[in-house]
Amino acid sequence: MTESDTDFFAGRTIVEVPADGPLPDTDGPTAWRIATHDWDNRTDHKLSPDFRDALERFVDRAGESVEALVIGSWGYAAFNVAPIAQLCAAAPRLPNLKALFLGDIGSEECEISWMQVGDVSPLLTAYPGLEVLRVRGGEDFRFSPVRHQRLRRLEVESGGLRPAFVRAVLDSELPALEELELWLGTPDYGGDTTVADLAPLLAGERFPALRRLGLCNSAIADDLAEALAAAPVVRRLETLDLSLGTLGDRGALALAGGQPLTHLAKLDLSHHYVSEDTVAAVEAALPGVVDLSDPQEEEEDEDETYRYTAVSE
């Protein structure tokens, strides 16, 4: 799981950009956060003018000093489009940007599945020096295959990540990528990605520098765990993350009984539906490695039981 949305990003303290006046003095590495809340001034499928102006003022003031940028609410994200084109246009004035988080928006502001984002891959083309890209979205959330030489971490958070998005990421050339985190979500919100869609990744054919893999917030966590129990990619990982999903006994036992995992520094299975007996067995097999915190209870409705990912609606 990733750093706190409110305190740190890419190893830097998040500092809010004021609506007006000078930027505050900071102590140490800083990730500047920009957000506007002009929800009563929304324009469907257009960039919020308030956010556009706020970003322009910030770039004019900070420019070359900016190494990390967090984009919060850009108006009402269910109606106003994300400022991707504006960020791309600003690239010549942000030559030292190394880390970007697009979509630091909580459910109290906009449900993740409503967020209008668009194709985020032009950000990588515009910023060839970018090392960390974290994006969050749901509605019209897209990616196109891209080549980028310096990206080390890519995190994609969604309540329902479509197969086309996942396949485009896997079709990209990212030779420096060390950390990949994909929140796959549920079919109810477009998250129809299957184990077959992930085959090139699981086979170890993609991203030669990869050391941390997260396939999180997934309704197919048991299927993923069974595939990972024998997947070649696991042998070169330091961290494997299946947190936030619907993992149960089937997946947990497959991991514990599959290929050796003791080389991992961490196996994150938190937010799970694993029984107490199986938790004890897996922890005994992987002491000091596995995280099986945050157990969940299945919900019942008539004759059916339901498991829920941590992030959907």
Side-chain angles (χ1 to χ4, degrees):
M1 301 201 35
T2 57
E3 299 166 286
S4 166
D5 291 357
T6 56
D7 296 327
F8 298 97
F9 171 58
R12 298 164 171 87
T13 302
I14 294 177
V15 177
E16 203 80 20
V17 174
D20 50 39
L23 296 175
D25 293 332
T26 61
D27 183 15
T30 300
W32 295 103
R33 185 180 187 273
I34 305 176
T36 59
H37 305 283
D38 53 332
W39 296 333
D40 294 331
N41 189 30
R42 69 192 192 203
T43 52
D44 289 4
H45 308 299
K46 295 180 181 179
L47 180 63
S48 158
D50 285 1
F51 185 90
R52 179 197 62 217
D53 294 345
L55 181 58
E56 283 299 307
R57 287 194 302 269
F58 170 73
V59 173
D60 285 343
R61 284 183 287 177
E64 294 185 1
S65 67
V66 180
E67 293 187 351
L69 185 59
V70 177
I71 304 298
S73 175
W74 49 78
Y76 187 30
F79 291 90
N80 298 117
V81 298
I84 293 173
Q86 186 184 11
L87 286 166
C88 290
R93 294 182 287 155
L94 296 169
N96 296 309
L97 188 68
K98 294 181 175 64
L100 175 62
F101 180 4
L102 176 69
D104 182 25
I105 301 172
S107 59
E108 69 281 0
E109 295 178 295
C110 182
E111 296 288 357
I112 193 170
S113 68
W114 302 350
M115 292 170 59
Q116 299 281 340
V117 180
D119 190 344
V120 298
S121 53
L123 293 167
L124 290 171
T125 302
Y127 292 93
L130 205 65
E131 297 176 3
V132 178
L133 177 62
R134 182 176 176 186
V135 291
R136 180 181 295 166
E139 187 69 22
D140 189 32
F141 196 26
R142 291 176 281 117
F143 198 89
S144 300
V146 65
R147 178 183 300 173
H148 196 282
Q149 296 298 314
R150 299 189 63 180
L151 190 71
R152 295 186 297 103
R153 187 198 308 176
L154 176 61
E155 300 173 358
V156 181
E157 302 176 2
S158 179
L161 199 59
R162 288 168 173 78
F165 196 119
V166 173
R167 289 194 294 266
V169 170
L170 300 189
D171 286 341
S172 296
E173 293 185 31
L174 305 171
L177 191 70
E178 299 174 358
E179 302 180 50
L180 175 63
E181 183 173 304
L182 303 174
W183 291 19
L184 300 178
T186 73
D188 292 339
Y189 300 100
D192 294 321
T193 298
T194 66
V195 171
D197 294 313
L198 296 161
L201 175 65
L202 302 183
E205 298 169 0
R206 309 301 300 148
F207 316 133
L210 192 68
R211 297 296 178 266
R212 175 182 177 272
L213 175 61
L215 299 172
C216 306
N217 197 52
S218 176
I220 61 166
D222 279 333
D223 295 340
L224 292 170
E226 288 184 329
L228 287 161
V233 70
V234 174
R235 298 165 199 160
R236 57 184 169 91
L237 297 179
E238 297 172 358
T239 302
L240 178 59
D241 188 346
L242 294 176
S243 65
L244 307 179
T246 61
L247 187 80
D249 283 13
R250 175 165 63 91
L253 290 171
L255 287 169
Q259 63 182 309
L261 300 177
T262 52
H263 68 286
L264 294 174
K266 184 174 185 180
L267 172 62
D268 192 344
L269 306 180
S270 58
H271 185 281
H272 62 84
Y273 294 82
V274 181
S275 67
E276 291 184 5
D277 288 346
T278 300
V279 167
V282 175
E283 289 179 337
L286 296 167
V289 173
V290 66
D291 178 358
L292 277 158
S293 60
D294 194 19
Q296 304 293 306
E297 295 285 342
E298 292 183 339
E299 296 189 15
E300 296 186 11
D301 183 8
E302 297 181 352
D303 296 329
E304 294 186 83
T305 59
Y306 297 91
R307 299 177 185 177
Y308 294 94
T309 60
V311 179
S312 56
E313 291 295 296

